[in-house]
Amino acid sequence: MKNNLDFDLSEIQTLNETQTGLLATLDDTLAYILDPLAGDKYPDDSKQSTAVYELVRDHQAIKALLRCLKSTTEDQADKLEAAYQKYVEGAE
């Protein structure tokens, strides 16, 4: 039973690593877009236009990352609930 628990928990950990990677990619994307505006209380029109252009250009990529995050979070919750049912409630 311990080996099965270890396997089930490793699947959940894999989803954690996937989420970490997706969040890092999202962070990199947003940092690339917003860094030129950092520190400017009143950025000029050129910087604002560039940021808007980058957001529009990367809109679909950002949406895809968010969909993947949602999906892996839901999968992880399902796997965690299944492990809880199997190992905690099943042991009672």
Side-chain angles (χ1 to χ4, degrees):
M1 180 156 143
K2 180 174 178 357
N3 286 339
N4 291 339
L5 176 60
D6 288 343
F7 179 75
D8 289 344
L9 293 177
S10 72
E11 282 190 282
I12 294 168
Q13 179 60 33
T14 299
L15 289 171
N16 282 345
E17 293 167 5
T18 300
Q19 287 176 313
T20 300
L22 290 168
L23 287 169
T25 302
L26 183 60
D27 182 58
D28 289 346
T29 301
L30 292 175
Y32 176 79
I33 293 168
L34 299 175
D35 273 353
L37 300 176
D40 281 354
K41 199 170 194 174
Y42 303 103
D44 61 33
D45 289 343
S46 174
K47 286 183 180 180
Q48 290 178 16
S49 295
T50 301
V52 170
Y53 168 78
E54 295 289 341
L55 279 171
V56 169
R57 187 190 71 171
D58 292 340
H59 178 249
Q60 292 303 320
I62 292 168
K63 281 178 63 175
L65 285 168
L66 292 173
R67 278 193 306 272
C68 288
L69 279 166
K70 182 178 186 257
S71 175
T72 57
T73 301
E74 289 169 351
D75 288 348
Q76 188 177 37
D78 292 343
K79 288 182 187 297
L80 192 56
E81 179 64 26
Y84 178 80
Q85 296 287 329
K86 185 175 179 181
Y87 298 105
V88 175
E89 290 184 356
E92 293 175 353

